[in-house]
Amino acid sequence: MPKIKLAENTIQLIKDICAKFDNNEGELINVLHQVQGKLGYLPAEVQEVIASELNTSVAKVYGVVTFYSFFTMLPQGENPISICMGTACYVRGAEQVLSELKRQLNVEVGQTTPDGKFSLSSLRCVGACGLAPVVMVGEKVYGRVSPTQVKEIIAEYREGCDTPESKSA
Amino acid sequence: MINLTIDNKPVVVKKGITILEAASSVGVHIPTLCYMKLDDMNIENKPGGCRVCVVEVKGRRNLAPACCTEVAEGMDISTHSIRAINARRTVVELILSDHPPDCLVCAKSGDCELQDMAHNLGIREIHYKGEQSTYREDTSPAITREIDKCIMCRRCEMMCNEVQTVGVLSAINRGFDSVVSPAFEMNLDHSVCTYCGQCVAVCPTGALTEVDETGKVIKALSDPNKTVVVQTAPAVRAALGEEFGMEAGTLVTGKLVSALKRLGFDYVFDTDFAADLTIMEEGTELLSRLEKFLGGDKEVKLPILTSCCPAWVKFFEHQFPEMLEIPSTARSPQQMFGSIAKTYFAEKLGKKRDDLVVVSIMPCVAKKYECGRDEFKVDDNPDVDHAITTRELAALVKLANIEFEKLPNEDFDHPLGESTGAGVIFGTTGGVIEAAVRTAYELHTGKDLPRLDFEELRGMEGLRQATIDFNGLPIKIGIAHGLGNARKLLEEIQAGKSEFHAIEIMSCPGGCIGGGGQPYHHGDAEVIKKRQMAIYQEDKNKVLRKSHENPYIIKLYEEFLGKPMSEKAHHLLHTKYFDRKN
């Protein structure tokens, strides 16, 4: 993983979030949630700052980050796409939707497109089983998604994207 | 008190203890695997993870893990019911189903708690076949991690975080993929690991072991062009016997020398000699700082901290780099020995330093790292070539078919084999500072010490303090063993609250007697205490018990070094420390 140098204001942002939780080690998960909310992901350098602020070891922070699938160490796309692979979605064809997503975006689960526009992840149950299979783009929920709709959904977010492909379209 | 029944016998036990403790208090043994407790040392690992200690409690639907279930009034416990035994066997079989079947060639074979458990439960077949976790091997200068063999007992994690506060190891990932690892799965040698080896000391399997250097030692011994010189650390003689079935605390100094001679070492010397030399340098440095301080010098750095322990040195280089001026600059006895062996002794033999191979037998795995540090090399030739642990020496003795128990007692060679009782007690917590007091007192006051045994400096408490009267001058001494305790004293110094003049620090609980290279204690703290008693016994047996009275030390200064802290002594026996924060 290439080493990145954090900007001063990013470090300050992390420190402020830690301070909001009184630099209490017991609040680690909440701190990670908020920092990821602001930065989109939790690279090693960010975890190091958090560990030092909360006076705990980086290994412990990394242990928590790798335990919960919600946390990610990879930068997310501008439009994070998640597909539910919970039981209800799965039996109603989520797998086919997923393979279509992979094909259209040309990425695997956990990856981000090279232009940084989309990232793909799978999750377990968003509590909308009645709408299965469910795809989320950012906060927006798409229900009863069929593989044929995938292209359409992606196109919604490609518009306005400054890529050669979208210009020609 | 609480009344309950254990295996059909009514017993009365203290309130608030666990089933495991209750059973143990009435002599009933419940097998455990992840659980470990070092009594009186404040060290306990109780994750309740492995489920080997499950017992049947009447009226409870599920079996109860004995290590973390509190006793309750009227409990009726069966520790070895068919149901408990079957569950235990299943648990161990499941662990084995994801464990490499490497026993024949595993470093831990014969000393492995998992192997013993499988044997004791009579497991002859593993019924569960499935995926096997694999993980790359990670080798550092001192410790090898073979995580395939990890059973997630979390003992190493507990030692690294709670006891040592080093914080390198943590469980990472989830479920089947979880392993114990440094942050970002980096290798140990990129981490802030101190190589104290306490993770190795408590690992029940072969997942964490020392880097085996016995092959290099055999190679040196079989090279006719090399003069192979060996030194043995004080704590080795109080523990090596255990590897040959002797009672813990048996002193085997004479047999140890005898075994080393039979293995073919050309000169068998004693690190205790170098410990005496350390006292001359460190004691003089202490007095010099103290006298400057008393003379009104505000710049002088006090307290002075001992610097014999390589894990401790690496710890403060990583964690307290702003305090590099405080520890004594004296090298550790291992390195002082190597330096003198490859100069003074090589000259005496009329040999070049390259002709000599210096091997050390250490209770420690960090010593492997220490002897590889660049500042302890001259033209890329290290002062100490190979450091092997007490365990590795035992393996060599077994390999050479030497019947250790039947060996006669022999004496160390001269001139680097003569030592005093002060050198011997370096092996235990409190020993270095007691040895320093014996010499510093006499050098400072010019008077004979009225007594030699400083009981107030001895013991197993993690943090101790005492004031020693230097003929009207009260010298305040602090002692810490275990790096977590050391951290507390360092934080006091940082906050300007420390009142000590001198502080002794050893990384391992108990000091070197509890080192990461010693025979495995398997969670029995008595073993470490008995080694401590043996060390003090050896001190008592010595005719000379003050470092400055060692005739060969006096001769070394007369013939070679001049006086303590001389320019030559500085060059050969002192060192500097490095900021390793980033």
Side-chain angles (χ1 to χ4, degrees), chain B residues 148-397:
Chain B
D148 296 1
K149 295 178 184 170
C150 173
I151 57 168
M152 291 302 281
C153 72
R154 320 284 286 266
R155 290 185 193 174
C156 55
E157 195 185 339
M158 181 275 298
M159 283 313 252
C160 191
N161 291 279
E162 289 166 37
V163 178
Q164 303 295 58
T165 65
V166 171
V168 163
L169 296 176
S170 174
I172 60 155
N173 298 331
R174 187 172 192 154
F176 190 72
D177 296 326
S178 55
V179 291
V180 173
S181 156
F184 317 124
E185 304 197 41
M186 66 172 83
N187 287 346
L188 268 190
D189 60 355
H190 286 105
S191 75
V192 298
C193 175
T194 64
Y195 302 127
C196 73
Q198 282 304 308
C199 56
V200 174
V202 298
C203 180
T205 70
L208 293 160
T209 52
E210 70 266 52
V211 172
D212 185 349
E213 290 187 79
T214 51
K216 290 179 186 165
V217 174
I218 294 171
K219 201 172 160 215
L221 287 171
S222 54
D223 185 340
N225 300 317
K226 298 285 184 195
T227 301
V228 190
V229 173
V230 67
Q231 57 166 326
T232 68
V236 175
R237 68 209 64 195
L240 179 64
E242 294 162 33
E243 289 281 341
F244 302 96
M246 295 178 179
E247 179 65 23
T250 309
L251 275 171
V252 294
T253 319
K255 291 186 196 303
L256 163 66
V257 175
S258 192
L260 291 168
K261 290 191 172 169
R262 277 164 177 72
L263 282 171
F265 288 100
D266 297 298
Y267 294 93
V268 179
F269 290 141
D270 201 348
T271 313
D272 295 17
F273 170 85
D276 281 335
L277 186 57
T278 304
I279 287 304
M280 297 306 290
E281 294 296 325
E282 203 167 271
T284 309
E285 194 186 354
L286 162 68
L287 282 180
S288 130
R289 286 200 207 176
L290 203 58
E291 281 158 11
K292 275 186 202 157
F293 175 75
L294 294 173
D297 184 343
K298 295 273 182 274
E299 295 295 294
V300 69
K301 301 283 184 193
L302 279 178
I304 186 169
L305 308 176
T306 58
S307 54
C308 303
C309 170
W312 151 235
V313 167
K314 195 161 183 280
F315 179 77
F316 71 67
E317 286 180 328
H318 283 292
Q319 315 257 352
F320 294 89
E322 61 287 351
M323 291 167 77
L324 300 182
E325 305 289 308
I326 298 180
S328 161
T329 58
R331 293 184 190 182
S332 71
Q334 160 170 285
Q335 294 309 135
M336 284 203 184
F337 180 94
S339 182
I340 293 298
K342 287 205 174 172
T343 53
Y344 173 72
F345 184 63
E347 269 175 40
K348 271 195 183 292
L349 293 179
K351 289 188 183 283
K352 295 197 299 281
R353 66 178 289 132
D354 300 20
D355 297 332
L356 253 62
V357 174
V358 174
V359 175
S360 53
I361 317 294
M362 293 284 142
C364 178
V365 297
K367 289 285 172 190
K368 290 173 183 288
Y369 155 79
E370 184 187 43
C371 71
R373 285 177 65 130
D374 287 339
E375 63 271 27
F376 300 135
K377 291 176 183 166
V378 177
D379 300 331
D380 219 29
N381 176 281
D383 290 342
V384 173
D385 294 85
H386 312 297
I388 62 169
T389 61
T390 312
R391 294 189 295 263
E392 286 172 274
L393 173 63
L396 277 178
V397 171

Side-chain angles (χ1 to χ4, degrees), chain B residues 106-121:
Chain B
C106 178
K108 207 59 181 282
S109 186
D111 217 351
C112 170
E113 292 175 39
L114 180 61
Q115 194 181 48
D116 285 351
M117 185 65 66
H119 176 77
N120 292 340
L121 292 176

